[in-house]
Amino acid sequence: MSKESTKKTAPTIIITGTPGVGKSTHAQLLAQESPAPLKHINVGDLVKEKNLYESYDEEWQSYEVDEDKLLDELEPIAAAGGVILDWHTCEIFPERWADLVVVLRCNHTKLWERLESRGYPLKKIQENNEAEIMEVVLEEARSSYAQEIVVELQSEGTEDLEANVARIVEWVKAWQRDQAS
Ligand code: DAT
Protein backbone atom coordinates (compact mmCIF):
# COMPACT_ATOMS: atom_id res chain seq x y z
CA MET A 1 0.00 0.00 0.00
CA SER A 2 1.40 3.40 -0.87
CA LYS A 3 1.68 6.27 1.61
CA GLU A 4 -0.79 8.27 -0.52
CA SER A 5 -3.54 5.70 -0.09
CA THR A 6 -3.19 5.56 3.69
CA LYS A 7 -3.58 9.10 4.95
CA LYS A 8 -2.17 8.81 8.44
CA THR A 9 -3.09 11.24 11.19
CA ALA A 10 0.14 10.60 13.09
CA PRO A 11 3.52 9.28 11.97
CA THR A 12 5.29 6.01 12.62
CA ILE A 13 8.61 6.64 14.32
CA ILE A 14 11.23 3.96 14.82
CA ILE A 15 13.56 4.50 17.77
CA THR A 16 16.46 2.12 17.54
CA GLY A 17 19.97 1.59 18.87
CA THR A 18 22.06 -0.81 20.92
CA PRO A 19 20.41 -2.07 24.14
CA GLY A 20 20.86 0.51 26.90
CA VAL A 21 21.23 3.61 24.71
CA GLY A 22 17.95 5.06 25.98
CA LYS A 23 15.28 3.99 23.48
CA SER A 24 12.50 3.31 26.02
CA THR A 25 13.33 6.44 28.03
CA HIS A 26 13.07 8.54 24.86
CA ALA A 27 9.95 6.76 23.59
CA GLN A 28 8.11 7.26 26.90
CA LEU A 29 8.87 10.98 27.01
CA LEU A 30 8.08 11.43 23.33
CA ALA A 31 4.71 9.68 23.76
CA GLN A 32 3.90 12.19 26.52
CA GLU A 33 5.08 15.30 24.69
CA SER A 34 4.08 14.62 21.10
CA PRO A 35 1.41 16.93 19.63
CA ALA A 36 0.09 13.94 17.63
CA PRO A 37 -0.96 10.84 19.61
CA LEU A 38 1.86 8.29 19.58
CA LYS A 39 1.62 4.88 21.20
CA HIS A 40 4.89 3.52 22.51
CA ILE A 41 5.47 -0.11 21.54
CA ASN A 42 8.40 -1.77 23.23
CA VAL A 43 8.92 -4.49 20.64
CA GLY A 44 10.98 -6.69 22.97
CA ASP A 45 8.14 -6.69 25.51
CA LEU A 46 5.59 -7.40 22.76
CA VAL A 47 7.62 -10.40 21.60
CA LYS A 48 7.47 -11.85 25.13
CA GLU A 49 3.81 -10.99 25.84
CA LYS A 50 2.52 -12.41 22.56
CA ASN A 51 4.95 -15.34 22.30
CA LEU A 52 6.40 -14.04 19.04
CA TYR A 53 9.57 -16.08 19.43
CA GLU A 54 10.93 -19.45 18.43
CA SER A 55 13.14 -20.07 21.44
CA TYR A 56 14.90 -18.54 24.42
CA ASP A 57 18.65 -18.68 24.78
CA GLU A 58 19.53 -19.04 28.48
CA GLU A 59 23.20 -18.38 27.97
CA TRP A 60 22.67 -15.08 26.16
CA GLN A 61 19.43 -14.33 27.99
CA SER A 62 17.73 -13.42 24.75
CA TYR A 63 14.81 -14.48 22.58
CA GLU A 64 15.09 -15.87 19.05
CA VAL A 65 12.32 -13.80 17.46
CA ASP A 66 9.83 -15.27 14.99
CA GLU A 67 10.08 -12.42 12.50
CA ASP A 68 7.05 -13.43 10.42
CA LYS A 69 4.82 -13.51 13.48
CA LEU A 70 6.22 -10.22 14.70
CA LEU A 71 5.67 -8.48 11.36
CA ASP A 72 2.12 -9.84 11.14
CA GLU A 73 1.40 -8.53 14.61
CA LEU A 74 2.84 -5.09 13.90
CA GLU A 75 1.59 -4.57 10.34
CA PRO A 76 -1.85 -3.08 11.08
CA ILE A 77 -0.51 -0.95 13.93
CA ALA A 78 2.57 0.41 12.17
CA ALA A 79 0.91 0.98 8.81
CA ALA A 80 -1.86 3.02 10.47
CA GLY A 81 0.63 5.39 12.11
CA GLY A 82 0.59 7.02 15.54
CA VAL A 83 3.18 4.67 16.88
CA ILE A 84 6.72 4.60 18.21
CA LEU A 85 8.48 1.29 17.55
CA ASP A 86 11.22 0.85 20.15
CA TRP A 87 13.64 -1.96 19.32
CA HIS A 88 17.36 -2.73 19.20
CA THR A 89 17.22 -3.55 15.50
CA CYS A 90 15.22 -2.00 12.68
CA GLU A 91 16.06 -3.62 9.36
CA ILE A 92 13.17 -6.08 9.45
CA PHE A 93 10.61 -3.25 9.50
CA PRO A 94 9.38 -2.46 5.96
CA GLU A 95 10.50 0.88 4.63
CA ARG A 96 6.92 1.93 3.95
CA TRP A 97 6.13 1.90 7.70
CA ALA A 98 8.73 4.44 8.69
CA ASP A 99 8.33 8.22 8.61
CA LEU A 100 11.33 8.81 10.87
CA VAL A 101 14.10 6.52 12.13
CA VAL A 102 15.95 7.74 15.21
CA VAL A 103 19.20 5.96 16.00
CA LEU A 104 20.33 6.68 19.55
CA ARG A 105 24.03 6.54 20.36
CA CYS A 106 25.93 6.39 23.62
CA ASN A 107 29.52 6.60 24.72
CA HIS A 108 30.68 2.99 25.24
CA THR A 109 31.96 3.47 28.81
CA LYS A 110 28.59 4.80 29.89
CA LEU A 111 26.79 2.09 27.93
CA TRP A 112 28.89 -0.57 29.68
CA GLU A 113 27.79 0.78 33.08
CA ARG A 114 24.13 0.80 32.05
CA LEU A 115 24.27 -2.79 30.81
CA GLU A 116 26.21 -3.94 33.86
CA SER A 117 23.56 -2.46 36.13
CA ARG A 118 20.96 -4.51 34.23
CA GLY A 119 22.78 -7.66 35.28
CA TYR A 120 23.55 -8.78 31.73
CA PRO A 121 26.09 -11.61 31.37
CA LEU A 122 29.59 -10.30 30.62
CA LYS A 123 29.68 -11.59 27.06
CA LYS A 124 26.36 -9.93 26.29
CA ILE A 125 27.72 -6.64 27.63
CA GLN A 126 30.86 -7.07 25.51
CA GLU A 127 28.91 -7.94 22.39
CA ASN A 128 26.60 -4.94 22.74
CA ASN A 129 29.49 -2.64 23.53
CA GLU A 130 31.36 -3.72 20.43
CA ALA A 131 28.22 -3.32 18.34
CA GLU A 132 27.87 0.26 19.61
CA ILE A 133 31.51 1.06 18.84
CA MET A 134 31.18 -0.46 15.36
CA GLU A 135 27.95 1.51 14.72
CA VAL A 136 26.10 -1.67 13.77
CA VAL A 137 22.57 -0.32 14.26
CA LEU A 138 23.39 3.00 12.59
CA GLU A 139 24.70 1.19 9.52
CA GLU A 140 21.64 -1.04 9.52
CA ALA A 141 19.31 1.98 9.62
CA ARG A 142 21.26 3.78 6.90
CA SER A 143 21.18 0.79 4.61
CA SER A 144 17.47 0.07 5.21
CA TYR A 145 15.85 3.52 4.92
CA ALA A 146 16.16 6.71 2.88
CA GLN A 147 19.02 8.82 4.23
CA GLU A 148 16.78 11.84 4.85
CA ILE A 149 14.59 10.02 7.38
CA VAL A 150 17.45 8.57 9.46
CA VAL A 151 18.64 10.73 12.36
CA GLU A 152 21.51 9.89 14.70
CA LEU A 153 21.22 11.40 18.20
CA GLN A 154 23.49 11.17 21.25
CA SER A 155 21.86 9.87 24.45
CA GLU A 156 24.18 10.29 27.40
CA GLY A 157 22.44 12.55 29.89
CA THR A 158 19.12 14.17 30.73
CA GLU A 159 20.01 17.25 28.69
CA ASP A 160 20.40 15.04 25.60
CA LEU A 161 17.11 13.33 26.35
CA GLU A 162 15.20 16.59 26.63
CA ALA A 163 16.86 18.17 23.60
CA ASN A 164 16.30 15.05 21.48
CA VAL A 165 12.64 14.77 22.41
CA ALA A 166 12.11 18.50 21.77
CA ARG A 167 13.69 18.04 18.37
CA ILE A 168 11.49 15.07 17.50
CA VAL A 169 8.40 16.99 18.71
CA GLU A 170 9.31 19.79 16.25
CA TRP A 171 9.67 17.17 13.54
CA VAL A 172 6.17 15.79 14.39
CA LYS A 173 4.70 19.32 14.13
CA ALA A 174 6.32 19.76 10.72
CA TRP A 175 5.01 16.33 9.67
CA GLN A 176 1.48 17.39 10.71
CA ARG A 177 1.74 20.67 8.75
CA ASP A 178 2.95 18.73 5.77
CA GLN A 179 0.02 16.30 5.96
CA ALA A 180 -2.49 19.16 6.26
CA SER A 181 -1.18 21.00 3.21
P1 DAT B 1 17.04 0.99 25.95
O1 DAT B 1 15.54 1.11 25.86
O2 DAT B 1 17.74 1.55 24.75
O3 DAT B 1 17.52 -0.38 26.28
P2 DAT B 1 16.68 2.54 28.38
O4 DAT B 1 15.79 3.64 27.91
O5 DAT B 1 16.06 1.43 29.15
O6 DAT B 1 17.51 1.93 27.16
O7 DAT B 1 17.86 3.21 29.20
C1 DAT B 1 18.81 2.45 29.93
C2 DAT B 1 19.19 3.19 31.18
O8 DAT B 1 19.93 4.35 30.86
C3 DAT B 1 18.01 3.69 32.00
O9 DAT B 1 18.37 3.59 33.37
C4 DAT B 1 17.87 5.15 31.65
C5 DAT B 1 19.28 5.54 31.29
N1 DAT B 1 19.37 6.51 30.19
C6 DAT B 1 19.36 6.23 28.88
N2 DAT B 1 19.47 7.35 28.15
C7 DAT B 1 19.54 8.37 29.03
C8 DAT B 1 19.68 9.78 28.89
N3 DAT B 1 19.77 10.40 27.70
N4 DAT B 1 19.71 10.52 30.02
C9 DAT B 1 19.63 9.93 31.22
N5 DAT B 1 19.52 8.60 31.42
C10 DAT B 1 19.47 7.83 30.34
Side-chain angles (χ1 to χ4, degrees):
M1 223 183 305
S2 73
K3 283 191 176 165
E4 288 70 28
S5 61
T6 54
K7 191 82 174 167
K8 298 193 277 192
T9 53
T12 292
I13 299 176
I14 296 171
I15 299 188
T16 191
T18 311
V21 288
K23 298 181 293 295
S24 296
T25 311
H26 277 72
Q28 279 158 15
L29 189 61
L30 178 60
Q32 278 171 34
E33 311 235 315
S34 171
L38 293 177
K39 181 176 159 56
H40 170 205
I41 298 187
N42 180 319
V43 176
D45 288 349
L46 186 78
V47 164
K48 285 180 244 169
E49 280 160 25
K50 304 254 178 180
N51 296 323
L52 309 173
Y53 54 85
E54 286 163 359
S55 59
Y56 178 72
D57 188 323
E58 288 285 348
E59 196 185 347
W60 287 88
Q61 294 183 15
S62 64
Y63 290 86
E64 179 75 32
V65 174
D66 183 328
E67 293 185 0
D68 290 339
K69 275 193 193 168
L70 175 61
L71 291 175
D72 285 350
E73 182 75 31
L74 287 175
E75 172 67 39
I77 308 165
V83 72
I84 306 165
L85 298 176
D86 154 9
W87 208 25
H88 59 79
T89 180
C90 61
E91 65 189 352
I92 75 159
F93 301 142
E95 210 178 343
R96 68 193 152 76
W97 286 1
D99 295 295
L100 180 70
V101 180
V102 176
V103 184
L104 295 177
R105 305 296 313 280
C106 182
N107 163 286
H108 68 275
T109 310
K110 184 158 274 189
L111 186 67
W112 187 286
E113 289 165 6
R114 289 181 188 167
L115 296 178
E116 211 168 32
S117 69
R118 276 186 180 172
Y120 276 10
L122 182 61
K123 65 180 186 173
K124 189 166 169 175
I125 299 176
Q126 280 167 337
E127 188 196 53
N128 282 311
N129 221 252
E130 276 167 29
E132 181 59 16
I133 293 166
M134 298 306 290
E135 308 192 325
V136 170
V137 185
L138 181 63
E139 286 306 312
E140 193 188 294
R142 285 185 173 152
S143 61
S144 306
Y145 304 95
Q147 296 294 307
E148 58 271 23
I149 70 161
V150 178
V151 187
E152 177 188 10
L153 298 172
Q154 285 304 120
S155 168
E156 270 140 38
T158 313
E159 282 179 14
D160 294 329
L161 169 67
E162 286 168 1
N164 292 342
V165 170
R167 192 169 156 185
I168 303 169
V169 163
E170 287 309 309
W171 177 89
V172 173
K173 288 181 189 164
W175 183 92
Q176 287 179 308
R177 283 195 297 272
D178 207 37
Q179 294 294 109
S181 63

